Amino acid sequence: MSTDPEQSTGAPRGVADLRPLERRREQRAWSWYDWANSAFYTSVLTVLFAPYMITVAGRAAGCPDPDETCSRTVSLLGLDLAAGSLPAYLTTFATIASAFVLPVVGAFVDGSAHKKRHMAGFAWAGALAGSLLFFMEGDDWQLGAVAVVAASILGGCSLVSYYAILVDISTVEERDRVSSRGWAWGYLGGGLLLLLNLVVVLGHDAFGIGTELAVRLSMLSAALWWAGFTIVPFVRLRDHQPSPEAPSREGSLVQRSFGQLWTTMRELRGYPMTMTFLIAYLFYNDGIQTVIASASTYGSKQLGLSQTVLIATILMIQFVAFGGALLFGRLASTHGAYRCLLWGTVGWMAIVVAAIALPAGDVGLFVLTGAAIAVVMGGTQALSRSFFSLLIPRGREGEYFALYNAAERGTSWFGTLLFGVVFQLTGSYRPAIFALLVFFLLGFLVLLRLDPRRGIEEAGNTVPASLLRRATA
């Protein structure tokens, strides 16, 4: 009988040293960061920021009606950009900048015994940057542009550490469940704050404030929520020693980070299934993130729906997605995460096709489409996170999740760039939405080329029983 804890439990050595009760306690604490940061992504990046930025930038560009699509331009770094495309371009810029920042963070995280400190530090810095959105008013869109880019980059840095901690606190059999519950918890947190923001924005007259001040206060509340609830995992999570297989910390930080990144990219050839998944994820997650980031813009500017309908629909999505994330987690325990990801990608393609044909002003169909998004959104995101953790060699979680996180939660740039360019060329958001279909199709086709069992074994990890059951069925 093997005496290796990994062979007997399917868990990295550090996880095997924890009793089940200790693991569950840490897993609950870990989920609180999904609760903390999801509120900012939901209230700010998904609902409020893009329409408000378009309004403020449109005012600077001289657009007469803030409720109409604005194709006039503002100048950014010497480039003339349509005010209606500005949020998409800012997301693109944040992602490109992240490509230079996240490798530094990932390499440092792998050799650190204080992942939770890095997670919290970046979170608090990101929340501080996000709070500056409160001061974006009149036609001062530049402050908002700097704030949202900084908050996006710092949020991505915090998620590198957060995702790496998942491996420290869960066995391979637990990861789909833990990741799915984290996403579900995040939807509840995001939905609750969005509900409060809905009251403020829609009932602004009762509070004696204008609509724009209500929006700015709501964005500020999301930053404060993010900062405040990050205290919970920071206090309750334990520090875990880095894996013995973690890269050496010799040399300067830049040498360790970018040098290790170059080594990682070369070594990916030895993990072809890991590379295959990253390529698939790059495509289908770009589509997901662009749909999420552009939903409120599409609904308000193309379909002519009121802010009341948009916020209420996004609020509904949060609570339906809670059930969707748990549903996919349960399906993964029987059918495996890989198969569920294939199903989810097909679901996204169907949703995009339906969204293209939505008639202007039809609230019912828009809400129905939102419910469909909710079911597949949480499941595909949560299972992507847990499945990728099985394809990572031991001790390399930070650097691999740095690559992964470059395409995570609103930091996609292929999709947002295409969305912005198509709108600028056509003046309509319908062809911009249609263009996203290619990302889901390519992601699905690449996923079909992936052998999950081979990839997990090549990374030196234990194959979950759910995948083994499907393989032998």
Side-chain angles (χ1 to χ4, degrees):
M1 179 180 296
S2 171
T3 59
D4 189 341
E6 167 92 16
Q7 297 299 322
S8 60
T9 68
R13 289 177 177 82
V15 178
D17 292 336
L18 297 176
R19 294 190 298 272
L21 182 60
E22 292 177 308
R23 288 204 304 274
R24 286 194 295 272
R25 186 181 299 116
E26 289 218 71
Q27 289 162 8
R28 287 193 294 269
W30 181 83
S31 295
W32 274 98
Y33 189 64
D34 262 313
W35 171 284
N37 76 82
S38 291
F40 184 82
Y41 285 98
T42 301
S43 287
V44 177
L45 299 185
T46 302
V47 178
L48 299 173
F49 173 74
Y52 184 62
M53 169 58 83
I54 291 172
T55 297
V56 174
R59 189 179 294 136
C63 293
D65 189 346
D67 294 325
E68 294 183 357
T69 300
C70 180
S71 58
R72 296 187 182 182
T73 63
V74 294
S75 179
L76 178 63
L77 301 178
L79 301 174
D80 290 329
L81 305 176
S85 296
L86 191 58
Y89 288 138
L90 291 173
T91 301
T92 300
F93 179 80
T95 302
I96 295 174
S98 295
F100 295 94
V101 176
L102 295 186
V104 179
V105 177
F108 189 76
V109 163
D110 283 333
S112 174
H114 308 293
K115 294 184 181 70
K116 70 172 187 176
R117 299 184 190 178
H118 307 313
M119 176 195 74
F122 286 120
W124 289 327
L128 177 61
S131 68
L132 296 178
L133 292 171
F134 174 77
F135 301 99
M136 182 174 67
E137 57 182 323
D139 60 359
D140 185 13
W141 60 269
Q142 293 91 340
L143 176 62
V146 173
V148 80
V149 167
S152 297
I153 294 173
L154 290 164
C157 291
S158 72
L159 290 173
V160 170
S161 296
Y162 178 58
Y163 291 176
I165 293 172
L166 175 63
V167 179
D168 291 334
I169 63 173
S170 59
T171 68
V172 297
E173 302 294 345
E174 296 169 337
R175 294 218 193 130
D176 290 335
R177 174 181 58 81
V178 174
S179 184
S180 295
R181 288 187 177 181
W183 275 102
W185 195 234
Y187 286 125
L188 283 181
L192 177 59
L193 182 62
L194 186 58
L195 176 60
L196 298 176
N197 289 335
L198 175 66
V199 173
V200 173
V201 172
L202 300 182
H204 60 88
D205 287 335
F207 296 98
I209 58 177
T211 302
E212 292 195 5
L213 178 57
V215 171
R216 290 162 50 217
L217 286 171
S218 295
M219 292 193 291
L220 177 62
S221 73
L224 295 175
W225 181 289
W226 183 9
F229 282 107
T230 297
I231 296 173
V232 178
F234 177 71
V235 171
R236 294 184 180 178
L237 282 172
R238 301 191 325 168
D239 283 326
H240 296 268
Q241 291 300 316
S243 169
E245 291 87 358
S248 170
R249 301 187 67 182
E250 296 179 356
S252 69
L253 179 60
V254 173
Q255 290 173 331
R256 295 199 310 269
S257 57
F258 290 102
Q260 189 58 46
L261 175 64
W262 176 248
T263 300
T264 301
M265 299 301 293
R266 286 190 289 107
E267 290 180 351
L268 269 176
R269 291 177 295 180
Y271 302 104
M273 295 299 101
T274 305
M275 179 184 291
T276 299
F277 178 79
L278 277 173
I279 295 172
Y281 182 74
L282 172 66
F283 285 122
Y284 74 74
N285 187 69
D286 275 357
I288 293 172
Q289 296 301 335
T290 309
V291 169
I292 294 171
S294 306
S296 60
T297 302
Y298 184 72
S300 64
K301 304 300 181 181
Q302 185 66 49
L303 302 182
L305 300 175
S306 68
Q307 192 74 356
T308 302
V309 171
L310 295 174
I311 296 180
T313 301
I314 297 298
L315 177 63
M316 176 273 296
I317 286 175
Q318 298 306 302
F319 294 107
V320 175
F322 168 78
L326 295 180
L327 173 63
F328 268 72
R330 178 163 293 188
L331 289 173
S333 67
T334 303
H335 301 280
Y338 171 71
R339 187 178 295 268
C340 292
L341 286 172
L342 286 173
W343 296 341
T345 307
V346 172
W348 276 110
M349 285 189 280
I351 288 168
V352 169
V353 171
I356 298 167
L358 285 177
D362 195 319
V363 175
L365 288 179
F366 183 78
V367 172
L368 184 62
T369 303
I373 288 175
V375 172
V376 298
M377 180 171 63
T380 49
Q381 291 177 316
L383 295 183
S384 294
R385 178 168 68 183
S386 57
F387 181 65
F388 184 66
S389 73
L390 300 175
L391 302 175
I392 299 174
R394 296 176 189 170
R396 310 286 289 280
E397 292 81 15
E399 62 187 81
Y400 275 79
F401 271 124
L403 298 175
Y404 174 93
N405 198 55
E408 177 63 275
R409 289 195 177 191
T411 56
S412 58
W413 67 277
F414 285 125
T416 53
L417 178 62
L418 180 63
F419 186 86
V421 168
V422 172
F423 169 77
Q424 182 152 349
L425 293 176
T426 65
S428 172
Y429 288 108
R430 288 190 188 276
I433 286 289
F434 178 77
L436 302 181
L437 185 64
V438 67
F439 292 100
F440 295 110
L441 178 60
L442 289 174
F444 176 77
L445 294 175
V446 176
L447 275 178
L448 287 177
R449 299 178 59 85
L450 191 150
D451 182 339
R453 181 170 183 173
R454 174 187 167 189
I456 295 169
E457 291 176 343
E458 285 176 345
N461 295 315
T462 303
V463 181
S466 59
L467 193 149
L468 290 173
R469 284 197 297 270
R470 299 303 302 179
T472 58

